[in-house]
Amino acid sequence: DLEANRNGTIFASLKKTPHILRNEIIKTCAEDESKCPYPTYDLVIDVTQVFCGAFFHWIIETWPRIGPFLDGLLAENMPNNFAIRVGCVSSLEEFHPQFFDLVGLENITLISGEPPVFAKEVIAPTEGFSHSPLLNYWNLVVMRQKVIANLEPIEKSEYKTVLVIIRDASRRPDTFIFNNKFLKELSDGLPDIYKVVPFRSSDKEMM
């Protein structure tokens, strides 16, 4: 009951249809944040992407979409009241904030699918809607450069690591396409300085 839901709120006196009610809420939030029924931000970057709770979709499609805005977000004069909306999940995974830490965005405000929020400005990047990293190459390169610049100097090993990324989502029938036999034959066929390491997002120790 729309009328009943309004009782006890700042919109109790409104007598209009839902889409007009939405416009009234937006107007109220824009004019006086103290009367807004939702959390308010100066800027929200919405990187909502299907399956972003899954590691592959996150690292290839979702996370790199902030690449064009990183310099601005990391600037000293960047306002603190901004957030990044990861709207495809009801709750955030542990690795979501960790990945933003990697590029220097520490303690950033992340928003999941709920609750609604109000933002004075919303940016919804379109780059990144692709299963292929080749079609999202520039953003991935930018993110990689920021990660390397943000890390401590890396001590190089005498060995070189060949990281075999294995898709291991439970909904896939090809979870074990890169089995131990494949990894062993790959290792045997490479010079001794190479070390083959399988990368599975379900490997908690590696993550």
Side-chain angles (χ1 to χ4, degrees):
D1 182 3
L2 187 60
E3 285 299 319
N5 290 339
R6 292 175 184 169
N7 293 335
T9 73
I10 61 171
F11 305 105
S13 61
L14 295 178
K15 305 295 183 182
K16 300 178 181 179
T17 56
H19 75 277
I20 297 180
L21 176 60
R22 173 183 177 274
N23 292 339
E24 292 290 337
I25 293 175
I26 293 174
K27 180 181 178 183
T28 299
C29 292
E31 292 177 348
D32 188 347
E33 292 183 7
S34 66
K35 294 182 179 179
C36 187
Y38 306 123
T40 62
Y41 299 93
D42 292 329
L43 170 67
V44 169
I45 300 179
D46 191 340
V47 295
T48 299
Q49 162 74 20
V50 65
F51 300 131
C52 82
F55 186 76
F56 172 84
H57 293 277
W58 171 258
I59 196 172
I60 296 297
E61 300 170 332
T62 306
W63 178 61
R65 291 169 63 197
I66 66 165
F69 314 101
L70 264 182
D71 288 337
L73 295 177
L74 293 169
E76 292 184 1
N77 61 348
M78 176 67 193
N80 292 325
N81 190 24
F82 76 92
I84 295 178
R85 183 174 185 266
V86 185
C88 64
V89 288
S90 57
S91 61
L92 298 170
E93 300 288 345
E94 185 178 3
F95 64 78
H96 285 141
Q98 290 173 344
F99 266 80
F100 288 109
D101 287 347
L102 285 174
V103 293
L105 291 173
E106 299 176 359
N107 301 318
I108 190 172
T109 300
L110 296 181
I111 308 169
S112 60
E114 295 291 342
V117 301
F118 172 80
K120 294 179 181 178
E121 181 178 1
V122 176
I123 297 177
T126 56
E127 293 295 333
F129 289 105
S130 166
H131 276 56
S132 171
L134 294 178
L135 299 180
N136 199 26
Y137 184 75
W138 184 86
N139 284 359
L140 287 168
V141 169
V142 169
M143 300 301 278
R144 181 178 185 273
Q145 290 173 340
K146 291 293 184 182
V147 170
I148 292 174
N150 196 49
L151 291 176
E152 297 292 333
I154 301 173
E155 183 178 347
K156 293 186 178 180
S157 170
E158 60 179 309
Y159 296 100
K160 295 185 177 182
T161 300
V162 178
L163 198 63
V164 181
I165 300 177
I166 300 176
R167 181 173 61 185
D168 61 354
S170 58
R171 62 190 176 87
R172 302 285 188 182
D174 55 354
T175 298
F176 299 105
I177 190 171
F178 295 121
N179 54 29
N180 291 333
K181 179 182 178 182
F182 168 84
L183 296 172
K184 183 179 184 306
E185 291 185 356
L186 176 61
S187 181
D188 291 344
L190 292 172
D192 292 339
I193 64 169
Y194 289 93
K195 179 182 178 182
V196 177
V197 178
F199 186 104
R200 294 181 173 91
S201 59
S202 61
D203 187 337
K204 300 298 183 182
E205 183 178 354
M206 174 172 283
M207 293 297 289

